[in-house]
Amino acid sequence: MKDHAPRFRISRLSSFALLSAAVILLLGTVTARYLVHQIAERELQHATATAEWLARLGVQPRVDGADGRLRVSRGEAHALDRLLRDRSVVGPDTARIDVLDARGAVRYSTDPTLVDTPATLTMSRPALRSVLSGHENATVIHASADTRSPDAKLVKRSGDILRVAVPITSHGRAPVGVLVVNSRYAPMAATISHETTQLYLALLLGLSLVYAILLLNQSSAKLRLQAVSLRRFAQDTEYLAHHDGLTGLPNRVLLRDRLHQAIMLHKRKDESFAIFHLDLDRFKEVNDTLGHFSGDQLLREVADRLQRTLRESDTVARLGGDEFAVLLPAVDSDGAVVAAEKVLKALQRPFIIQSLTLQIDASIGIAVYPTHGRDFDELMQHADSVMYLAKRKRSGYESDRDTDVDQSQTNRLGLAAELRVAIDRGELRLHYQPRASLTTGEVVGVEALVRWQHPERGAISPDEFIPLAEQGGLIRTLTLWVIDEALSQCRRWLDMGVDLPVSVNLSTRDLIDQQLPEVIGEALERTGVSADKLEVEITESVIMADPVRAREVLTRLRETGVHASIDDFGTGYSSLGYLRRLPVDQLKIDRSFVFNMTGDDQDEIIVQSTIDLAHNLGLTVVAEGAETLETLHRLRELGCDSVQGFILSRPLPPEQVVVWLQQHRRAAAA
């Protein structure tokens, strides 16, 4: 008996160890397969989302699909070339991009040899039909020895290819074409392989540790400890599946679960609750300027501040990027507004990131159950919609939809689609407003101001369509058209013996475009106009959006002989220390100070100070918005160099400028 007892214990222990090993192996296999699938799915979703963004904001506005058919004109193909060959836009791993129409032909490709060829050279017909029915398609094409394959040339050059195809729609109709983005799959495969390896190593280490604990512990007390370890492992796994890895906040999955529980609870009690959709304003500037490490640090501090500001019963979740959500149980509409104001006030306190003081604002959309929805999707959709309304109105927070604003936004989207067509159809024109010297009365130049005469809507204000051009990626096209048209008109005036330098306005995107000096140089050469006849005008806010790059571009323009002027001076927040180092020649005082300077001592003080500052920096000064003789005389007394405003003339069509100039000279001579 003494000899058999130990064998029995060893046999029982071995059986337990084998069973434990099998269970652990099964658990690890299931967990690993699920997480590896999630890693690969995340990468494909990211690639698909990028393609959808490029189709909606980059390609769709540049193709003519108004009649349900996709066309790409020569000008639109040129614009697509500039956009889709820009690696900062499409990403460094893009191998080829194709635009297919609904009939199965290639209408545009970054490989010109494919244009007007059958779509089957880029994707199969079943896949094309699937995408045209509204479904995205993501496929990995592996390098093949079959040289007859249409993709052989592409995979031979780039290796395995990830092909993502998304529909291109027009005016809310059915898809009119397909955008196909071919990217090198190797970087994505490397990312998946790296993360998968780390995952397997972590699982192997964790499961090996659990197995070792099970194997080494023989008593019931040790078995209970093993059970605790397994529970903790399961809890950790569940925590990672329901929480944001950066901030530790609940993620969208956990938020959905808690909101569902809140609906069940408040439905029984006949109570309301609120949910916020919060988005940080100008967060991208932090990432672009200070880097993603600083951006992540800021997000963690925002998460901490939100939790400390709200109640313990409230749920603060991170939805992704710089977007957060807050669930507030047992709160009505009034209570939600109070909480939103409290959150905004807390976020307005400065953040210290890498010894820098940052001021961050936020926009909040409020949804209240059951007024604004009765399930997760309805409530989040409402909160998301009114959050963007708050962002547009800069109101901080909004709760109720503004139907007029919604309709206005719909009209704006339609107008944005028409703007590109307007440029091609010649619906845009330039008017020119003269600028005259206060010393001699001589006209020293004109400012080119763009006008849009819509065939159905009539005259459309620049304040309405220029922001659309900036948001829709058309501002560069619009700026190049203005520069070409202004210089061409300058050439025509010179041929008539009229010497009128012209100035044009640049946006933020124009000024950070490193190719701008070369583009302007080409336009000057094409029109035969000397560089000193052109002046570019930049507002303070445009300069301070990226002061380092702004200075670089302005310096290169100065080297070509182009003059530069700071427009609307006094309305921005530029650093005077930086301002004095900018290669500019002139300041233009904003019309808001000039218009009423004779009736407001504070405005006159600002005008006087600006004139003195500019002269001390070696700059000339232009006063905009002068409308009365009294203002004109006072500006002359203050030492202002030149003036622009209705006292001289309103903006004029080019054919009227010469007539006005002759009348002005006769009046000055008399």
Side-chain angles (χ1 to χ4, degrees):
M1 292 296 294
K2 291 181 180 180
D3 293 333
H4 292 290
R7 292 192 183 94
F8 174 76
R9 288 195 295 272
I10 293 173
S11 175
R12 185 172 61 181
L13 181 60
S14 300
S15 299
F16 177 77
L18 291 173
L19 179 61
S20 300
V23 171
I24 291 172
L25 182 61
L26 179 61
L27 174 63
T29 301
V30 173
T31 304
R33 286 181 177 273
Y34 172 76
L35 293 178
V36 169
H37 174 75
Q38 291 296 100
I39 292 171
E41 188 68 18
R42 181 198 66 199
E43 295 296 325
L44 289 178
Q45 288 176 354
H46 175 72
T48 303
T50 301
E52 289 176 339
W53 171 85
L54 193 61
R56 184 171 67 254
L57 300 180
V59 176
Q60 180 180 325
R62 292 175 169 81
V63 297
D64 183 9
D67 59 354
R69 297 180 61 185
L70 182 147
R71 302 182 183 88
V72 181
S73 68
R74 181 178 299 177
E76 290 164 342
H78 181 66
L80 285 172
D81 276 340
R82 288 181 176 274
L83 175 70
L84 300 181
R85 295 180 190 276
D86 187 346
R87 292 296 178 179
S88 66
V89 174
V90 302
D93 299 317
T94 303
R96 192 184 75 212
I97 299 179
D98 308 312
V99 177
L100 319 179
D101 65 15
R103 298 188 176 186
V106 180
R107 292 306 176 197
Y108 170 83
S109 176
T110 53
D111 181 357
T113 62
L114 294 178
V115 176
D116 294 330
T117 61
T120 50
L121 291 179
T122 63
M123 65 186 301
S124 67
R125 290 194 178 278
L128 178 63
R129 287 194 296 269
S130 174
V131 177
L132 287 172
S133 67
H135 303 289
E136 300 86 6
N137 181 277
T139 308
V140 177
I141 302 172
H142 296 286
S144 170
D146 183 6
T147 58
R148 295 171 298 174
S149 169
D151 296 306
K153 179 180 177 181
L154 183 62
V155 299
K156 181 179 180 180
R157 183 175 69 249
S158 303
D160 291 351
I161 291 295
L162 171 64
R163 173 167 293 162
V164 178
V166 297
I168 302 172
T169 59
S170 176
H171 302 283
R173 300 177 181 173
V176 298
V178 175
L179 174 68
V180 183
V181 180
N182 297 281
S183 303
R184 292 190 305 113
Y185 183 67
M188 181 182 294
T191 298
I192 295 174
S193 175
H194 175 71
E195 294 191 19
T196 301
T197 301
Q198 288 186 323
L199 172 65
Y200 280 139
L201 288 175
L203 281 174
L204 180 61
L205 180 61
L207 295 177
S208 298
L209 181 61
V210 173
Y211 180 76
I213 293 173
L214 288 173
L215 189 60
L216 294 174
N217 290 286
Q218 303 175 23
S219 65
S220 59
K222 291 182 179 180
L223 289 176
R224 284 195 295 271
L225 289 175
Q226 294 168 7
V228 171
S229 298
L230 287 173
R231 282 197 298 271
R232 287 177 178 173
F233 181 78
Q235 290 170 356
D236 290 343
T237 303
E238 182 181 5
Y239 180 86
L240 292 174
H242 292 88
H243 289 79
D244 173 53
L246 176 65
T247 62
L249 295 177
N251 60 16
R252 185 182 289 269
V253 175
L254 184 54
L255 176 67
R256 178 186 288 271
D257 180 68
R258 292 189 180 178
L259 194 145
H260 178 70
Q261 294 178 21
I263 291 174
M264 296 296 101
L265 176 64
H266 290 78
K267 183 185 294 184
R268 290 195 301 270
K269 294 184 176 181
D270 195 23
E271 291 180 344
S272 62
F273 66 87
I275 187 165
F276 293 170
H277 186 177
L278 183 150
D279 182 88
L280 302 181
D281 298 336
R282 304 185 305 278
F283 176 75
K284 184 177 182 296
E285 297 177 11
V286 177
N287 271 342
D288 293 345
T289 305
L290 301 180
H292 289 276
F293 176 80
S294 297
D296 289 347
Q297 183 180 347
L298 176 60
L299 289 174
R300 284 192 289 266
E301 293 198 16
V302 167
D304 180 65
R305 192 171 294 185
L306 288 174
Q307 288 180 301
R308 287 188 285 108
T309 300
L310 297 165
R311 304 171 301 179
E312 291 187 6
S313 59
D314 300 331
T315 296
V316 179
R318 183 182 178 218
L319 303 179
D322 61 339
E323 297 182 43
F324 296 83
V326 179
L327 174 61
L328 301 101
V331 168
D332 58 14
S333 298
D334 293 337
V337 168
V338 172
E341 292 175 344
K342 187 177 180 182
V343 167
L344 291 174
K345 185 177 180 180
L347 294 179
Q348 286 170 357
R349 297 198 307 271
F351 291 85
I352 307 299
I353 305 295
Q354 292 190 5
S355 301
L356 295 176
T357 301
L358 301 181
Q359 190 77 39
I360 296 296
D361 294 321
S363 298
I364 298 176
I366 303 173
V368 178
Y369 172 88
T371 306
H372 300 134
R374 294 180 175 272
D375 60 28
F376 178 87
D377 293 329
E378 288 182 355
L379 290 168
M380 289 302 298
Q381 182 180 11
H382 179 90
D384 179 72
S385 174
V386 294
M387 183 273 290
Y388 281 105
L389 175 61
K391 192 175 287 288
R392 290 196 301 271
K393 294 171 66 175
R394 297 182 180 178
S395 57
Y397 64 87
E398 292 290 336
S399 176
D400 296 320
R401 282 195 177 101
D402 187 332
T403 54
D404 292 336
V405 172
D406 287 347
Q407 183 60 44
S408 173
Q409 181 67 4
T410 302
N411 294 337
R412 282 165 56 85
L413 292 174
L415 199 62
E418 294 182 68
L419 181 56
R420 170 166 290 280
V421 179
I423 297 175
D424 296 335
R425 292 178 179 174
E427 295 175 11
L428 301 184
R429 295 198 67 192
L430 289 184
H431 285 197
Y432 300 87
Q433 187 170 33
R435 183 174 77 249
S437 169
L438 282 171
T439 304
T440 65
E442 179 184 357
V443 176
V444 294
V446 291
E447 180 181 357
L449 301 168
V450 65
R451 299 289 185 263
W452 183 5
Q453 187 65 33
H454 193 281
E456 298 176 359
R457 308 188 191 199
I460 300 177
S461 168
D463 292 338
E464 186 175 355
F465 69 82
I466 288 180
L468 293 179
E470 292 177 334
Q471 297 164 10
L474 283 175
I475 192 62
R476 192 172 191 274
T477 302
L478 179 60
T479 300
L480 296 182
W481 178 86
V482 170
I483 291 173
D484 272 338
E485 182 63 24
L487 290 177
S488 298
Q489 182 59 55
C490 184
R491 177 72 269 168
R492 289 191 287 270
W493 283 331
L494 287 170
D495 292 342
M496 297 169 59
V498 179
D499 186 358
L500 275 181
V502 295
S503 62
V504 297
N505 293 280
L506 299 183
S507 72
T508 303
R509 294 191 180 184
D510 296 324
L511 198 59
I512 64 176
D513 183 358
Q514 296 293 312
Q515 297 180 341
L516 180 66
E518 286 78 11
V519 171
I520 290 180
E522 293 172 1
L524 289 168
E525 183 177 354
R526 186 168 52 251
T527 57
V529 176
S530 61
D532 62 340
K533 302 300 180 187
L534 176 65
E535 179 179 82
V536 294
E537 297 188 10
I538 314 102
T539 63
E540 293 177 85
S541 58
V542 168
I543 294 172
M544 298 314 296
D546 192 339
V548 175
R549 188 172 294 185
R551 183 182 180 187
E552 179 183 342
V553 172
L554 289 174
T555 299
R556 291 170 60 195
L557 286 173
R558 164 69 69 84
E559 291 170 352
T560 66
V562 174
H563 299 293
S565 172
I566 298 181
D567 196 14
D568 299 338
F569 185 79
T571 60
Y573 303 95
S574 59
S575 165
L576 295 179
Y578 188 82
L579 178 63
R580 66 184 177 84
R581 295 193 297 270
L582 283 174
V584 297
D585 309 284
Q586 185 171 259
L587 293 185
K588 300 185 76 172
I589 306 175
D590 186 69
R591 65 183 67 250
S592 62
F593 302 115
V594 177
F595 177 77
N596 196 37
M597 60 174 287
T598 57
D600 189 317
D601 293 340
Q602 295 298 320
D603 283 349
E604 181 171 329
I605 291 172
I606 292 174
V607 172
Q608 174 70 78
S609 300
T610 303
I611 294 172
D612 294 340
L613 170 67
H615 287 167
N616 289 333
L617 293 174
L619 308 176
T620 59
V621 183
V622 181
E624 295 186 296
E627 297 191 5
T628 66
L629 285 173
E630 184 182 4
T631 301
L632 197 68
H633 294 323
R634 186 60 183 143
L635 286 170
R636 186 180 293 114
E637 292 172 354
L638 294 177
C640 186
D641 298 291
S642 57
V643 67
Q644 180 179 333
F646 290 172
I647 187 64
L648 286 178
S649 171
R650 294 176 178 272
L652 299 170
E655 60 272 12
Q656 296 181 18
V657 171
V658 175
V659 176
W660 176 89
L661 185 60
Q662 293 170 346
Q663 294 173 348
H664 176 77
R665 288 174 177 171
R666 285 197 297 268

